Amino acid sequence: MQGTSLFQCATSSPPAAVTHQTWKSGPDAPVIWQNEAHIWRARLDVPWSWTFDEALSLDDRTRADRFKFESDRRRFCVARASLRLILSRYLKTKPGRLRFETGEFGKPFLADEKLSGGLCFNLSHSNQLALIAITRDREVGVDVEYMRSEFVTDDVANHFFSQAEVQQFQEVPAESKTQSFFDCWTRKEAYIKARGEGLYCPLDQFDVSVGPGTAARLLDSRVDAADAQRWCFHDIAAGDRYAATVAVGGACSRLLLWDLNE
């Protein structure tokens, strides 16, 4: 599928709702500028290949062995290999040679600062799909979720959403509950992943937009009041029955959507 999705996002005003997004095959030698965010989509149900095998490091294999179920182990390996293959295209190096370190709360980053050239990344996967977000010199967080209606309950919303989000969610029509729930969920996850704090960031201490047709946006943050103007959010049309959001530090004027798998 050909095309690139371009739209404006300024920190002084919320982004316009995205009505159409298309994906194209990712280039072998991508170049990324500071005003861009690149989102790569990778299937996790593709056949295993020597390319994946060659991309994995010893640490990846050790981590994979900790999974109890083979299906989880395989998805982890494909997602991790896909991340390495994508980063190697930007950095023009062999994927297996890339070394990662983690921040205080577990967010990974490239260990070799000189090699990275300021490249930042974040990975999320759910069911049979992974999304990898790439930026340069700006923090980024991405989340994708396979939408399961049985997971959408008031009890779950009350536990994970802020009071303002719960109130908004209660007003959503029944036919839009599932989509609105997972839109809110991925917006919150993308934000805390971008900040690099994961679940150490209290989920009830910030509010994102909720409701059918609402543009992805951080409305308020009791964690850091300046964040509402600091972060740029975009919903991503990842695929049927998937919800996804990317959060980027600063203005994002160009978003490119690329498929890893032909």
Side-chain angles (χ1 to χ4, degrees):
M1 187 179 296
Q2 299 297 314
T4 301
S5 197
L6 305 178
F7 42 92
Q8 297 297 319
C9 178
T11 55
S12 60
S13 60
V18 179
T19 58
H20 180 68
Q21 293 182 356
T22 56
W23 299 78
K24 64 179 180 178
S25 181
D28 292 332
V31 175
I32 186 168
W33 302 93
Q34 287 185 331
N35 67 321
E36 296 179 337
H38 295 183
I39 311 298
W40 290 75
R41 181 172 62 178
R43 297 292 311 183
L44 302 182
D45 53 358
V46 294
W48 187 258
S49 69
W50 68 267
T51 305
F52 288 148
D53 197 63
E54 187 180 51
L56 292 178
S57 69
L58 178 60
D59 178 66
D60 294 329
R61 299 176 194 279
T62 301
R63 292 181 61 187
D65 288 340
R66 298 172 187 165
F67 287 94
K68 180 179 180 180
F69 299 107
E70 172 61 26
S71 58
D72 294 333
R73 184 161 51 248
R74 189 184 186 283
R75 281 194 290 268
F76 170 83
C77 287
V78 176
R80 193 74 170 187
S82 298
L83 170 64
R84 287 180 171 276
L85 289 166
I86 290 167
L87 289 174
S88 71
R89 295 190 184 192
Y90 289 88
L91 302 175
K92 299 177 177 61
T93 189
K94 291 186 177 181
R97 292 183 177 177
L98 295 172
R99 293 187 303 109
F100 301 123
E101 292 183 1
T102 55
E104 181 181 359
F105 301 105
K107 185 177 182 180
F109 60 91
L110 288 160
D112 190 329
E113 185 175 350
K114 183 177 180 180
L115 172 67
S116 73
L119 213 64
C120 299
F121 66 90
N122 198 230
L123 163 69
S124 177
H125 58 88
S126 179
N127 196 35
Q128 299 297 344
L129 196 66
L131 293 184
I132 294 98
I134 309 288
T135 55
R136 185 177 295 281
D137 295 322
R138 293 191 297 165
E139 290 299 332
V140 64
V142 67
D143 188 59
V144 60
E145 300 291 341
Y146 185 70
M147 294 188 290
R148 295 179 172 89
S149 58
E150 64 272 18
F151 192 69
V152 180
T153 67
D154 288 338
D155 286 342
V156 175
N158 290 334
H159 186 74
F160 291 103
F161 294 178
S162 70
Q163 183 176 357
E165 292 163 350
V166 170
Q167 292 174 348
Q168 293 179 69
F169 183 67
Q170 290 173 344
E171 298 174 1
V172 173
E175 65 273 14
S176 301
K177 284 282 189 183
T178 298
Q179 183 71 57
S180 296
F181 178 94
F182 283 99
D183 283 345
C184 180
W185 184 281
T186 59
R187 292 166 187 177
K188 293 179 77 67
E189 284 285 328
Y191 172 60
I192 63 176
K193 291 179 71 179
R195 284 180 57 92
E197 297 173 344
L199 293 178
Y200 290 92
C201 179
L203 294 174
D204 62 349
Q205 291 302 300
F206 62 93
D207 312 320
V208 300
S209 52
V210 182
T214 60
R217 188 184 176 194
L218 179 65
L219 301 176
D220 184 37
S221 175
R222 274 79 68 193
V223 178
D224 187 335
D227 273 6
Q229 298 300 318
R230 181 181 297 148
W231 293 94
C232 179
F233 281 44
H234 293 297
D235 289 328
I236 304 297
D240 186 40
R241 296 193 67 184
Y242 286 93
T245 305
V246 62
V248 181
C252 174
S253 60
R254 197 166 189 237
L255 183 74
L256 294 104
L257 307 178
W258 283 331
D259 272 314
L260 176 64
N261 315 115
E262 292 291 346

